mmCIF file of all heavy atoms in Angstrom:
data_model
loop_
_atom_site.group_PDB
_atom_site.id
_atom_site.type_symbol
_atom_site.label_atom_id
_atom_site.label_comp_id
_atom_site.label_asym_id
_atom_site.label_seq_id
_atom_site.Cartn_x
_atom_site.Cartn_y
_atom_site.Cartn_z
ATOM 1 N N GLU A 149 -12.872 4.246 -84.623
ATOM 2 C CA GLU A 149 -12.945 3.511 -83.363
ATOM 3 C C GLU A 149 -11.611 3.592 -82.636
ATOM 4 O O GLU A 149 -10.547 3.551 -83.256
ATOM 5 C CB GLU A 149 -13.299 2.047 -83.636
ATOM 6 C CG GLU A 149 -13.471 1.224 -82.386
ATOM 7 C CD GLU A 149 -13.922 -0.192 -82.691
ATOM 8 O OE1 GLU A 149 -14.562 -0.408 -83.727
ATOM 9 O OE2 GLU A 149 -13.617 -1.077 -81.878
ATOM 10 N N ALA A 150 -11.671 3.716 -81.309
ATOM 11 C CA ALA A 150 -10.450 3.793 -80.513
ATOM 12 C C ALA A 150 -10.659 3.108 -79.168
ATOM 13 O O ALA A 150 -11.769 3.091 -78.632
ATOM 14 C CB ALA A 150 -10.047 5.244 -80.311
ATOM 15 N N ASP A 151 -9.586 2.542 -78.636
ATOM 16 C CA ASP A 151 -9.609 1.865 -77.337
ATOM 17 C C ASP A 151 -8.827 2.673 -76.311
ATOM 18 O O ASP A 151 -7.885 3.379 -76.652
ATOM 19 C CB ASP A 151 -8.987 0.474 -77.450
ATOM 20 C CG ASP A 151 -9.810 -0.463 -78.305
ATOM 21 O OD1 ASP A 151 -11.041 -0.308 -78.330
ATOM 22 O OD2 ASP A 151 -9.224 -1.357 -78.941
ATOM 23 N N TYR A 152 -9.196 2.510 -75.042
ATOM 24 C CA TYR A 152 -8.504 3.121 -73.908
ATOM 25 C C TYR A 152 -8.318 4.625 -74.105
ATOM 26 O O TYR A 152 -7.226 5.122 -74.320
ATOM 27 C CB TYR A 152 -7.172 2.420 -73.642
ATOM 28 C CG TYR A 152 -7.350 0.959 -73.368
ATOM 29 C CD1 TYR A 152 -6.997 0.004 -74.315
ATOM 30 C CD2 TYR A 152 -7.912 0.531 -72.174
ATOM 31 C CE1 TYR A 152 -7.184 -1.338 -74.075
ATOM 32 C CE2 TYR A 152 -8.103 -0.822 -71.924
ATOM 33 C CZ TYR A 152 -7.740 -1.746 -72.878
ATOM 34 O OH TYR A 152 -7.934 -3.082 -72.638
ATOM 35 N N ILE A 153 -9.414 5.327 -73.984
ATOM 36 C CA ILE A 153 -9.464 6.771 -74.215
ATOM 37 C C ILE A 153 -9.455 7.509 -72.878
ATOM 38 O O ILE A 153 -10.144 7.122 -71.942
ATOM 39 C CB ILE A 153 -10.750 7.151 -74.981
ATOM 40 C CG1 ILE A 153 -10.833 6.399 -76.295
ATOM 41 C CG2 ILE A 153 -10.863 8.641 -75.188
ATOM 42 C CD1 ILE A 153 -9.735 6.701 -77.256
ATOM 43 N N MET A 154 -8.684 8.585 -72.816
ATOM 44 C CA MET A 154 -8.690 9.465 -71.657
ATOM 45 C C MET A 154 -9.094 10.863 -72.123
ATOM 46 O O MET A 154 -8.521 11.396 -73.074
ATOM 47 C CB MET A 154 -7.321 9.536 -70.991
ATOM 48 C CG MET A 154 -7.300 10.454 -69.787
ATOM 49 S SD MET A 154 -5.768 10.416 -68.849
ATOM 50 C CE MET A 154 -4.615 11.059 -70.048
ATOM 51 N N ILE A 155 -10.078 11.424 -71.449
ATOM 52 C CA ILE A 155 -10.580 12.756 -71.758
ATOM 53 C C ILE A 155 -10.205 13.660 -70.595
ATOM 54 O O ILE A 155 -10.592 13.393 -69.455
ATOM 55 C CB ILE A 155 -12.109 12.739 -71.944
ATOM 56 C CG1 ILE A 155 -12.492 11.716 -73.013
ATOM 57 C CG2 ILE A 155 -12.640 14.117 -72.281
ATOM 58 C CD1 ILE A 155 -13.892 11.188 -72.891
ATOM 59 N N GLU A 156 -9.426 14.703 -70.859
ATOM 60 C CA GLU A 156 -9.026 15.651 -69.824
ATOM 61 C C GLU A 156 -9.756 16.966 -70.054
ATOM 62 O O GLU A 156 -9.599 17.590 -71.106
ATOM 63 C CB GLU A 156 -7.520 15.882 -69.838
ATOM 64 C CG GLU A 156 -6.733 14.691 -69.365
ATOM 65 C CD GLU A 156 -5.250 14.974 -69.285
ATOM 66 O OE1 GLU A 156 -4.765 15.937 -69.927
ATOM 67 O OE2 GLU A 156 -4.565 14.226 -68.584
ATOM 68 N N VAL A 157 -10.548 17.366 -69.062
ATOM 69 C CA VAL A 157 -11.349 18.579 -69.171
ATOM 70 C C VAL A 157 -10.907 19.557 -68.087
ATOM 71 O O VAL A 157 -11.170 19.325 -66.910
ATOM 72 C CB VAL A 157 -12.854 18.263 -69.016
ATOM 73 C CG1 VAL A 157 -13.682 19.514 -69.255
ATOM 74 C CG2 VAL A 157 -13.274 17.136 -69.939
ATOM 75 N N PRO A 158 -10.210 20.641 -68.461
ATOM 76 C CA PRO A 158 -9.797 21.626 -67.463
ATOM 77 C C PRO A 158 -10.995 22.355 -66.857
ATOM 78 O O PRO A 158 -12.016 22.553 -67.510
ATOM 79 C CB PRO A 158 -8.931 22.600 -68.257
ATOM 80 C CG PRO A 158 -8.531 21.856 -69.475
ATOM 81 C CD PRO A 158 -9.664 20.921 -69.768
ATOM 82 N N VAL A 159 -10.847 22.765 -65.603
ATOM 83 C CA VAL A 159 -11.869 23.518 -64.894
ATOM 84 C C VAL A 159 -11.411 24.975 -64.820
ATOM 85 O O VAL A 159 -10.270 25.235 -64.448
ATOM 86 C CB VAL A 159 -12.065 22.949 -63.467
ATOM 87 C CG1 VAL A 159 -13.028 23.791 -62.667
ATOM 88 C CG2 VAL A 159 -12.546 21.509 -63.547
ATOM 89 N N PRO A 160 -12.269 25.942 -65.199
ATOM 90 C CA PRO A 160 -11.858 27.350 -65.112
ATOM 91 C C PRO A 160 -11.535 27.729 -63.663
ATOM 92 O O PRO A 160 -12.146 27.219 -62.720
ATOM 93 C CB PRO A 160 -13.081 28.118 -65.599
ATOM 94 C CG PRO A 160 -13.941 27.134 -66.280
ATOM 95 C CD PRO A 160 -13.611 25.796 -65.723
ATOM 96 N N ALA A 161 -10.587 28.641 -63.487
ATOM 97 C CA ALA A 161 -10.087 28.997 -62.154
ATOM 98 C C ALA A 161 -11.159 29.557 -61.230
ATOM 99 O O ALA A 161 -11.093 29.359 -60.030
ATOM 100 C CB ALA A 161 -8.940 29.987 -62.285
ATOM 101 N N GLY A 162 -12.165 30.238 -61.734
ATOM 102 C CA GLY A 162 -13.189 30.832 -60.879
ATOM 103 C C GLY A 162 -14.276 29.870 -60.450
ATOM 104 O O GLY A 162 -15.215 30.260 -59.762
ATOM 105 N N CYS A 163 -14.167 28.601 -60.836
ATOM 106 C CA CYS A 163 -15.209 27.611 -60.551
ATOM 107 C C CYS A 163 -14.682 26.506 -59.641
ATOM 108 O O CYS A 163 -13.498 26.221 -59.593
ATOM 109 C CB CYS A 163 -15.701 26.970 -61.844
ATOM 110 S SG CYS A 163 -16.490 28.105 -62.986
ATOM 111 N N SER A 164 -15.613 25.870 -58.947
ATOM 112 C CA SER A 164 -15.308 24.645 -58.209
ATOM 113 C C SER A 164 -16.379 23.623 -58.590
ATOM 114 O O SER A 164 -17.346 23.942 -59.273
ATOM 115 C CB SER A 164 -15.289 24.898 -56.705
ATOM 116 O OG SER A 164 -16.556 25.315 -56.267
ATOM 117 N N TYR A 165 -16.211 22.403 -58.139
ATOM 118 C CA TYR A 165 -17.151 21.343 -58.499
ATOM 119 C C TYR A 165 -18.452 21.481 -57.725
ATOM 120 O O TYR A 165 -18.463 21.821 -56.551
ATOM 121 C CB TYR A 165 -16.550 19.965 -58.213
ATOM 122 C CG TYR A 165 -15.375 19.628 -59.094
ATOM 123 C CD1 TYR A 165 -14.091 19.572 -58.583
ATOM 124 C CD2 TYR A 165 -15.559 19.377 -60.440
ATOM 125 C CE1 TYR A 165 -13.012 19.263 -59.393
ATOM 126 C CE2 TYR A 165 -14.488 19.077 -61.261
ATOM 127 C CZ TYR A 165 -13.217 19.015 -60.735
ATOM 128 O OH TYR A 165 -12.152 18.721 -61.537
ATOM 129 N N GLY A 166 -19.558 21.185 -58.409
ATOM 130 C CA GLY A 166 -20.853 21.157 -57.750
ATOM 131 C C GLY A 166 -21.142 19.773 -57.208
ATOM 132 O O GLY A 166 -21.405 19.576 -56.038
ATOM 133 N N ASN A 167 -21.037 18.775 -58.069
ATOM 134 C CA ASN A 167 -21.321 17.392 -57.704
ATOM 135 C C ASN A 167 -20.267 16.520 -58.373
ATOM 136 O O ASN A 167 -20.087 16.591 -59.578
ATOM 137 C CB ASN A 167 -22.730 17.010 -58.175
ATOM 138 C CG ASN A 167 -23.093 15.593 -57.819
ATOM 139 O OD1 ASN A 167 -22.405 14.928 -57.063
ATOM 140 N ND2 ASN A 167 -24.196 15.122 -58.372
ATOM 141 N N LYS A 168 -19.602 15.698 -57.600
ATOM 142 C CA LYS A 168 -18.558 14.836 -58.155
ATOM 143 C C LYS A 168 -19.113 13.425 -58.370
ATOM 144 O O LYS A 168 -18.680 12.462 -57.763
ATOM 145 C CB LYS A 168 -17.358 14.784 -57.225
ATOM 146 C CG LYS A 168 -16.656 16.115 -57.081
ATOM 147 C CD LYS A 168 -15.447 15.976 -56.192
ATOM 148 C CE LYS A 168 -14.724 17.278 -56.049
ATOM 149 N NZ LYS A 168 -13.539 17.155 -55.183
ATOM 150 N N ALA A 169 -20.056 13.327 -59.272
ATOM 151 C CA ALA A 169 -20.731 12.055 -59.529
ATOM 152 C C ALA A 169 -19.908 11.159 -60.450
ATOM 153 O O ALA A 169 -19.121 11.632 -61.257
ATOM 154 C CB ALA A 169 -22.099 12.309 -60.141
ATOM 155 N N GLN A 170 -20.112 9.854 -60.299
ATOM 156 C CA GLN A 170 -19.531 8.857 -61.199
ATOM 157 C C GLN A 170 -20.649 8.398 -62.135
ATOM 158 O O GLN A 170 -21.743 8.081 -61.688
ATOM 159 C CB GLN A 170 -18.988 7.657 -60.423
ATOM 160 C CG GLN A 170 -17.805 7.974 -59.557
ATOM 161 C CD GLN A 170 -16.537 8.244 -60.356
ATOM 162 O OE1 GLN A 170 -16.355 7.734 -61.446
ATOM 163 N NE2 GLN A 170 -15.673 9.073 -59.798
ATOM 164 N N TYR A 171 -20.378 8.373 -63.435
ATOM 165 C CA TYR A 171 -21.396 8.031 -64.420
ATOM 166 C C TYR A 171 -21.112 6.709 -65.120
ATOM 167 O O TYR A 171 -21.670 6.429 -66.164
ATOM 168 C CB TYR A 171 -21.514 9.149 -65.456
ATOM 169 C CG TYR A 171 -21.972 10.452 -64.850
ATOM 170 C CD1 TYR A 171 -21.058 11.436 -64.492
ATOM 171 C CD2 TYR A 171 -23.315 10.674 -64.618
ATOM 172 C CE1 TYR A 171 -21.488 12.622 -63.930
ATOM 173 C CE2 TYR A 171 -23.748 11.860 -64.055
ATOM 174 C CZ TYR A 171 -22.830 12.831 -63.711
ATOM 175 O OH TYR A 171 -23.251 13.997 -63.150
ATOM 176 N N ALA A 172 -20.246 5.887 -64.560
ATOM 177 C CA ALA A 172 -19.815 4.663 -65.229
ATOM 178 C C ALA A 172 -20.957 3.663 -65.428
ATOM 179 O O ALA A 172 -20.944 2.895 -66.378
ATOM 180 C CB ALA A 172 -18.681 4.010 -64.452
ATOM 181 N N TYR A 173 -21.933 3.668 -64.554
ATOM 182 C CA TYR A 173 -23.003 2.680 -64.646
ATOM 183 C C TYR A 173 -23.989 2.945 -65.771
ATOM 184 O O TYR A 173 -24.732 2.058 -66.165
ATOM 185 C CB TYR A 173 -23.748 2.568 -63.314
ATOM 186 C CG TYR A 173 -24.484 3.820 -62.926
ATOM 187 C CD1 TYR A 173 -25.815 3.996 -63.275
ATOM 188 C CD2 TYR A 173 -23.860 4.833 -62.214
ATOM 189 C CE1 TYR A 173 -26.498 5.146 -62.929
ATOM 190 C CE2 TYR A 173 -24.529 5.975 -61.860
ATOM 191 C CZ TYR A 173 -25.842 6.124 -62.215
ATOM 192 O OH TYR A 173 -26.509 7.256 -61.877
ATOM 193 N N LYS A 174 -24.021 4.156 -66.313
ATOM 194 C CA LYS A 174 -25.030 4.443 -67.339
ATOM 195 C C LYS A 174 -24.459 5.084 -68.591
ATOM 196 O O LYS A 174 -25.192 5.691 -69.355
ATOM 197 C CB LYS A 174 -26.135 5.317 -66.764
ATOM 198 C CG LYS A 174 -25.683 6.678 -66.292
ATOM 199 C CD LYS A 174 -26.861 7.472 -65.781
ATOM 200 C CE LYS A 174 -26.394 8.840 -65.337
ATOM 201 N NZ LYS A 174 -27.483 9.672 -64.892
ATOM 202 N N SER A 175 -23.163 4.969 -68.812
ATOM 203 C CA SER A 175 -22.580 5.566 -70.011
ATOM 204 C C SER A 175 -21.386 4.745 -70.472
ATOM 205 O O SER A 175 -21.095 3.689 -69.932
ATOM 206 C CB SER A 175 -22.162 7.010 -69.733
ATOM 207 O OG SER A 175 -21.044 7.035 -68.885
ATOM 208 N N VAL A 176 -20.682 5.272 -71.454
ATOM 209 C CA VAL A 176 -19.524 4.568 -72.017
ATOM 210 C C VAL A 176 -18.280 4.727 -71.152
ATOM 211 O O VAL A 176 -17.302 4.031 -71.365
ATOM 212 C CB VAL A 176 -19.222 5.064 -73.453
ATOM 213 C CG1 VAL A 176 -20.356 4.724 -74.384
ATOM 214 C CG2 VAL A 176 -18.931 6.551 -73.464
ATOM 215 N N GLU A 177 -18.330 5.627 -70.176
ATOM 216 C CA GLU A 177 -17.139 5.830 -69.364
ATOM 217 C C GLU A 177 -16.981 4.738 -68.310
ATOM 218 O O GLU A 177 -17.949 4.189 -67.813
ATOM 219 C CB GLU A 177 -17.125 7.211 -68.724
ATOM 220 C CG GLU A 177 -18.185 7.470 -67.697
ATOM 221 C CD GLU A 177 -18.155 8.914 -67.213
ATOM 222 O OE1 GLU A 177 -18.644 9.773 -67.950
ATOM 223 O OE2 GLU A 177 -17.661 9.154 -66.108
ATOM 224 N N VAL A 178 -15.731 4.447 -67.995
ATOM 225 C CA VAL A 178 -15.400 3.414 -67.026
ATOM 226 C C VAL A 178 -15.113 4.021 -65.659
ATOM 227 O O VAL A 178 -15.475 3.466 -64.631
ATOM 228 C CB VAL A 178 -14.173 2.605 -67.509
ATOM 229 C CG1 VAL A 178 -13.733 1.598 -66.474
ATOM 230 C CG2 VAL A 178 -14.475 1.923 -68.824
ATOM 231 N N HIS A 179 -14.472 5.184 -65.656
ATOM 232 C CA HIS A 179 -14.084 5.828 -64.402
ATOM 233 C C HIS A 179 -13.923 7.320 -64.633
ATOM 234 O O HIS A 179 -13.650 7.760 -65.743
ATOM 235 C CB HIS A 179 -12.769 5.223 -63.895
ATOM 236 C CG HIS A 179 -12.307 5.772 -62.590
ATOM 237 N ND1 HIS A 179 -13.001 5.598 -61.415
ATOM 238 C CD2 HIS A 179 -11.217 6.514 -62.268
ATOM 239 C CE1 HIS A 179 -12.350 6.196 -60.434
ATOM 240 N NE2 HIS A 179 -11.266 6.760 -60.925
ATOM 241 N N ARG A 180 -14.067 8.079 -63.554
ATOM 242 C CA ARG A 180 -13.913 9.525 -63.612
ATOM 243 C C ARG A 180 -13.138 9.975 -62.383
ATOM 244 O O ARG A 180 -13.424 9.547 -61.277
ATOM 245 C CB ARG A 180 -15.292 10.175 -63.629
ATOM 246 C CG ARG A 180 -15.285 11.667 -63.830
ATOM 247 C CD ARG A 180 -16.702 12.205 -63.847
ATOM 248 N NE ARG A 180 -17.340 11.968 -65.126
ATOM 249 C CZ ARG A 180 -18.196 12.790 -65.697
ATOM 250 N NH1 ARG A 180 -18.534 13.904 -65.087
ATOM 251 N NH2 ARG A 180 -18.739 12.493 -66.860
ATOM 252 N N GLU A 181 -12.133 10.830 -62.589
ATOM 253 C CA GLU A 181 -11.340 11.359 -61.483
ATOM 254 C C GLU A 181 -11.430 12.879 -61.489
ATOM 255 O O GLU A 181 -11.271 13.512 -62.526
ATOM 256 C CB GLU A 181 -9.870 10.938 -61.605
ATOM 257 C CG GLU A 181 -9.662 9.467 -61.386
ATOM 258 C CD GLU A 181 -8.200 9.063 -61.401
ATOM 259 O OE1 GLU A 181 -7.328 9.930 -61.208
ATOM 260 O OE2 GLU A 181 -7.943 7.880 -61.611
ATOM 261 N N TYR A 182 -11.667 13.436 -60.294
ATOM 262 C CA TYR A 182 -11.778 14.878 -60.143
ATOM 263 C C TYR A 182 -10.520 15.411 -59.466
ATOM 264 O O TYR A 182 -10.220 15.056 -58.341
ATOM 265 C CB TYR A 182 -13.001 15.220 -59.294
ATOM 266 C CG TYR A 182 -14.310 14.866 -59.962
ATOM 267 C CD1 TYR A 182 -14.944 13.652 -59.712
ATOM 268 C CD2 TYR A 182 -14.922 15.764 -60.832
ATOM 269 C CE1 TYR A 182 -16.146 13.336 -60.317
ATOM 270 C CE2 TYR A 182 -16.121 15.453 -61.445
ATOM 271 C CZ TYR A 182 -16.731 14.242 -61.177
ATOM 272 O OH TYR A 182 -17.915 13.941 -61.786
ATOM 273 N N PHE A 183 -9.792 16.264 -60.178
ATOM 274 C CA PHE A 183 -8.624 16.938 -59.624
ATOM 275 C C PHE A 183 -8.978 18.406 -59.430
ATOM 276 O O PHE A 183 -10.003 18.871 -59.922
ATOM 277 C CB PHE A 183 -7.429 16.817 -60.585
ATOM 278 C CG PHE A 183 -7.015 15.401 -60.846
ATOM 279 C CD1 PHE A 183 -7.432 14.747 -61.997
ATOM 280 C CD2 PHE A 183 -6.212 14.711 -59.949
ATOM 281 C CE1 PHE A 183 -7.056 13.440 -62.252
ATOM 282 C CE2 PHE A 183 -5.825 13.409 -60.195
ATOM 283 C CZ PHE A 183 -6.248 12.770 -61.346
ATOM 284 N N LYS A 184 -8.134 19.161 -58.738
ATOM 285 C CA LYS A 184 -8.461 20.571 -58.496
ATOM 286 C C LYS A 184 -8.462 21.408 -59.772
ATOM 287 O O LYS A 184 -9.185 22.387 -59.875
ATOM 288 C CB LYS A 184 -7.523 21.178 -57.463
ATOM 289 C CG LYS A 184 -6.086 21.210 -57.877
ATOM 290 C CD LYS A 184 -5.206 21.777 -56.781
ATOM 291 C CE LYS A 184 -3.754 21.712 -57.222
ATOM 292 N NZ LYS A 184 -2.863 22.175 -56.186
ATOM 293 N N GLU A 185 -7.674 21.016 -60.793
ATOM 294 C CA GLU A 185 -7.569 21.811 -62.014
ATOM 295 C C GLU A 185 -8.227 21.173 -63.233
ATOM 296 O O GLU A 185 -8.378 21.813 -64.261
ATOM 297 C CB GLU A 185 -6.097 22.121 -62.327
ATOM 298 C CG GLU A 185 -5.328 20.984 -62.970
ATOM 299 C CD GLU A 185 -4.875 19.869 -62.022
ATOM 300 O OE1 GLU A 185 -5.163 19.912 -60.824
ATOM 301 O OE2 GLU A 185 -4.234 18.939 -62.522
ATOM 302 N N LYS A 186 -8.609 19.894 -63.132
ATOM 303 C CA LYS A 186 -9.185 19.206 -64.287
ATOM 304 C C LYS A 186 -9.986 17.987 -63.845
ATOM 305 O O LYS A 186 -9.857 17.522 -62.715
ATOM 306 C CB LYS A 186 -8.090 18.767 -65.261
ATOM 307 C CG LYS A 186 -7.215 17.676 -64.692
ATOM 308 C CD LYS A 186 -6.130 17.267 -65.650
ATOM 309 C CE LYS A 186 -5.252 16.201 -64.990
ATOM 310 N NZ LYS A 186 -4.142 15.819 -65.811
#
């Protein structure tokens, strides 16, 4: 068990985002931030 977890997922250079949805209402995540590289 762990508290206050941050998951960083890099985005491959040839890709861009399709949909920048927030999933906090239906999962364990509290917030999601979309950056150009991750």
